[in-house]
């Protein structure tokens, strides 16, 4: 049996399996059930994303044996200078990410939903058990590799009714963001200033939940209907039909099958995606401050009060996120980004003022929550929602994975500026100095160059939809 025959046999088996999956009857209230499971996975994702920044001062105090417990000490600055370059270098993992994420266009969303979720749990486990700076950095890098993939977002978008895509996505994320307050609750329960290693227990429950729900998702959640339709349609084509379609794809830059290089070509040749990329690249230069907010809090108040702020901010983060979903489906993606970007900047200014003027942990938590609620809701719109609503089904995951890497490269600008300038200016001042111009440029590009995507039918998008 030659290679072509073996490939044809594998595809026949795959098609038969997907046909059986599509023919399976859904039980009553399956949509509600799958949204609950995906929301729990979203909670794991958000806790993993926030855990490193929230615990960073206490991890560094412990692993670097800093006795002063002051974030303004030379020892702590040295520790930051050791770890921060690795956080910048972790962006290089984004080069691998699109190749990894594109695999879900061929092998399905469900498998990678499980892998991502378990991967986040394993990353936190490595950090929790770390006895050296090297082990901590390895765990941190693992967390940073799996969190940006956001397979649960693609799952929601390919499962929810088209008129409710943003609402479902942002409600799930809003609930997940509110659940980030569990970091503050666990911090108050376990963190002790006189016990350097007490931070480890904060990781325990999230680790267990991530690994368990990751395993359960593979057996409880079905493949997305959009992937089933797209993959079955492709596998049903004859060799002649595939050749004809491939020829058409070469002319348009699109493809029925995903892949990083196809996605790259499509992004740069498609006007809509190209301008989304530019707007997102500029925007992501503003996101660096989310890695250092706990250090600013720790410099302004006691560990006990920091824990209060860590409980408060996720509620406002979640409320802003939930509201943004409803507004996005009603106002459109572009208009809501203006509101979210403005809220991010105003909230950041109030956060800096609260820490500098001693307004207390509640005020600081509310301001920071509103700021990152606007920031990450705008991020999801630019990096996830609008690219997904601008890409053909067969390469949607590939485009989302590839454009997220290209957009994420904008983080280098903000992070490098911050690392260099934090030796000369206070952290909180740099937050405002760097974020304001990049946010303004991003919104200008988005408003003037990108077309609205709110009501598009995901199944009918072609390479010419936004010409």
């Amino acid at each position: 049996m030659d290679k072509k025959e073996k490939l044809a046999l594998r595809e026949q088996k795959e098609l038969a399996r997907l046909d059986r999956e599509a023919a399976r009857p859904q039980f009553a209230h399956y949509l509600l059930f799958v949204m609950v499971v995906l929301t729990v996975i979203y909670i794991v994702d958000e806790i993993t994303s926030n855990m490193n920044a929230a615990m960073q001062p206490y991890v560094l105090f412990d692993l670097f044996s800093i006795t002063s417990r002051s974030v303004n000490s030379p020892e702590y600055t040295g520790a930051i200078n050791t770890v921060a370059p690795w956080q910048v270098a972790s962006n290089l993992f984004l080069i691998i990410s699109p190749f990894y994420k594109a695999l879900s266009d061929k092998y399905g969303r469900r498998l990678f939903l499980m892998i991502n979720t378990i991967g986040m749990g394993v990353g936190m486990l490595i950090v929790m058990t770390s006895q050296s700076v090297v082990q901590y950095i390895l765990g941190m890098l693992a967390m940073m590799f799996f969190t940006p993939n956001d397979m649960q977002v693609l799952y929601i978008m390919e499962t929810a009714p088209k008129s409710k895509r943003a609402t479902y996505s942002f409600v799930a994320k809003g609930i997940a963001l509110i659940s980030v307050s569990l970091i503050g609750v666990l911090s108050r329960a376990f963190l002790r200033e006189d016990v350097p290693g007490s931070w480890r227990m904060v990781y325990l429950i999230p680790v267990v939940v991530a690994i368990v729900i990751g395993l359960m998702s593979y057996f409880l959640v079905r493949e997305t209907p959009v992937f089933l339709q797209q993959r079955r349609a492709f596998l049903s084509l004859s060799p002649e039909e595939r050749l004809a379609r491939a020829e058409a794809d070469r002319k348009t830059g699109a493809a029925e099958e995903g892949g990083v290089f196809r996605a790259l070509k499509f992004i740069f040749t498609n006007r809509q995606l190209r301008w989304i990329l530019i707007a997102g690249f500029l925007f992501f230069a503003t996101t660096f401050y989310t890695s250092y907010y706990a250090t600013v809090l720790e410099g302004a108040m006691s560990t006990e009060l920091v824990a209060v702020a860590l409980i408060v901010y996720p509620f406002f983060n979640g409320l802003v996120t939930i509201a943004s979903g409803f507004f996005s489906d009603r106002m459109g993606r572009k208009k809501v980004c203006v509101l979210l970007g403005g809220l991010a900047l105003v909230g950041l200014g109030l956060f800096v003022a609260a820490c500098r003027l001693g307004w207390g942990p509640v005020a600081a938590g509310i301001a920071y929550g509103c700021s990152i609620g606007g920031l990450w809701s705008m991020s999801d719109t630019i990096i996830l929602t609008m690219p997904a609503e601008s890409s053909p089904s067969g390469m949607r995951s590939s485009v989302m994975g590839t454009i997220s890497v290209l957009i994420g490269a904008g983080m280098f600008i903000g992070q490098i500026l911050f690392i260099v300038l934090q030796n000369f200016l206070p952290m909180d001042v740099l937050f405002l100095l760097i974020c304001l111009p990049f946010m303004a440029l991003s919104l200008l590009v988005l408003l003037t160059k990108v077309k609205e995507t709110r009501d598009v039918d995901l199944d009918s998008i072609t390479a010419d939809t936004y010409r």
Side-chain angles (χ1 to χ4, degrees):
M1 186 180 294
D2 60 24
K3 291 183 178 180
K4 288 185 177 180
E5 291 174 333
K6 289 180 180 179
L7 177 61
L9 182 60
R10 283 200 302 270
E11 290 188 345
Q12 287 174 9
K13 291 181 178 178
E14 182 184 357
L15 181 58
R17 178 179 61 81
L18 295 177
D19 285 341
R20 290 194 300 271
E21 174 78 6
R24 284 173 53 195
Q26 286 188 3
F27 57 82
H29 308 299
Y30 171 76
L31 182 59
L32 174 62
F33 169 77
V34 75
M35 290 302 161
V36 170
V37 173
L38 294 172
T39 300
V40 175
I41 292 175
Y42 226 142
I43 290 171
V44 169
D45 184 287
E46 291 300 331
I47 287 179
T48 306
S49 299
N50 285 273
M51 186 71 86
N52 183 61
M55 292 295 104
Q56 186 177 72
Y58 315 109
V59 176
L60 298 186
F61 287 149
D62 183 19
L63 296 183
F64 284 85
S65 302
I66 300 172
T67 56
S68 67
R69 302 286 293 186
S70 171
V71 297
N72 298 313
S73 67
E75 293 87 353
Y76 188 84
T77 300
I80 284 286
N81 286 333
T82 298
V83 173
W86 287 100
Q87 291 178 313
V88 175
S90 70
N91 290 326
L92 296 175
F93 279 139
L94 295 176
I95 298 173
I96 304 171
S97 179
F99 293 92
Y100 167 75
K101 195 167 185 177
L103 293 173
S104 73
D105 280 332
K106 182 175 183 180
Y107 297 106
R109 319 305 194 202
R110 183 173 59 179
L111 174 63
F112 289 91
L113 185 72
M114 176 187 70
I115 292 173
N116 285 344
T117 309
I118 293 177
M120 289 184 282
V122 170
M124 287 190 287
L125 179 63
I126 294 171
V127 170
M128 184 182 77
T129 59
S130 61
Q131 298 298 321
S132 68
V133 175
V134 172
Q135 185 179 346
Y136 164 64
I137 290 173
L138 289 174
M140 178 183 69
L141 293 177
M143 293 163 65
M144 290 180 171
F145 174 78
F146 286 106
T147 50
N149 293 299
D150 291 321
M151 189 56 63
Q152 72 278 2
V153 178
L154 184 56
Y155 232 101
I156 292 171
M157 295 195 69
E158 292 191 344
T159 304
K162 72 173 184 177
S163 62
K164 300 291 184 181
R165 280 195 298 261
T167 300
Y168 280 34
S169 295
F170 283 104
V171 167
K173 183 169 184 176
I175 293 170
L177 292 172
I178 291 172
S179 299
V180 173
S181 63
L182 291 171
I183 296 176
V185 172
L186 294 170
S187 297
R188 284 184 64 85
F190 296 114
L191 271 180
R192 298 291 182 271
E193 285 196 25
D194 56 345
V195 183
S198 58
W199 58 270
R200 300 177 190 277
M201 291 302 295
V202 179
Y203 283 82
L204 182 59
I205 294 175
V207 165
V208 173
V209 172
I211 294 174
V212 170
I213 194 65
L215 288 170
M216 290 175 62
S217 67
Y218 188 76
F219 301 100
L220 297 177
V221 176
R222 297 182 57 179
E223 190 56 79
T224 71
V226 172
F227 171 79
L228 286 174
Q229 185 276 330
Q230 171 266 320
R231 186 64 180 166
R232 288 167 65 215
F234 176 79
L235 292 173
S236 299
L237 294 175
S238 67
E240 293 76 17
E241 290 172 324
R242 293 188 192 187
L243 284 173
R245 186 160 295 186
E247 180 62 30
D249 291 341
R250 277 192 288 273
K251 294 178 180 178
T252 62
E256 284 301 310
E257 280 196 299
V260 174
F261 298 110
R262 290 191 183 99
L264 276 171
K265 180 180 179 182
F266 187 56
I267 290 166
F268 283 103
T269 57
N270 182 277
R271 182 182 183 277
Q272 171 80 349
L273 288 169
R274 189 168 62 246
W275 283 113
I276 290 174
L277 167 62
I278 293 170
F281 184 88
L282 293 168
F283 165 79
F284 255 70
T286 71
T287 61
F288 71 94
Y289 74 89
T290 62
S291 297
Y292 302 100
Y293 73 93
T295 297
V296 173
L297 285 170
E298 185 68 23
M301 59 192 76
S302 68
T303 298
E304 288 76 14
L305 293 180
V306 171
V308 173
L310 294 180
I311 293 173
V312 171
Y313 90 78
F315 285 93
F316 288 87
N317 186 5
L319 290 174
V320 170
T321 302
I322 292 172
S324 69
F326 289 102
F327 283 114
S328 182
D329 277 334
R330 287 158 179 76
M331 297 173 58
R333 315 308 188 210
K334 293 169 60 172
K335 290 180 181 177
V336 82
C337 279
V338 176
L339 293 178
L340 295 171
L343 180 61
L345 290 176
V346 171
L348 182 59
L350 292 174
F351 171 71
V352 171
C355 291
R356 282 188 165 262
L357 301 178
W359 292 352
V362 174
I366 292 172
Y368 183 71
C370 290
S371 178
I372 63 168
L375 185 84
W376 292 126
S377 295
M378 182 174 168
S379 166
D380 283 353
T381 302
I382 293 177
I383 204 170
L384 297 173
T385 305
M386 296 188 80
E389 292 176 340
S390 303
S391 307
S393 296
M395 59 190 313
R396 182 167 296 123
S397 182
S398 300
V399 167
M400 290 172 69
T402 303
I403 204 169
S404 68
V405 172
L406 299 173
I407 286 174
M411 297 173 73
F412 278 107
I413 299 174
Q415 288 178 329
I416 290 171
L417 285 172
F418 174 79
I419 289 172
V420 172
L421 295 177
Q422 62 105 16
N423 292 298
F424 308 100
L425 293 170
M427 283 188 180
D428 52 355
V429 173
L430 289 178
F431 290 175
L432 297 174
L433 274 178
I434 297 172
C435 290
L436 181 59
F438 282 105
M439 180 67 77
L441 285 172
S442 174
L443 288 172
L444 180 64
V445 171
L446 189 70
L447 289 174
T448 59
K449 298 296 184 180
V450 178
K451 294 183 179 180
E452 183 57 60
T453 66
R454 176 178 56 179
D455 294 321
V456 70
D457 183 352
L458 290 183
D459 291 325
S460 64
I461 297 174
T462 68
D464 298 319
T465 299
Y466 292 99
R467 293 289 187 188

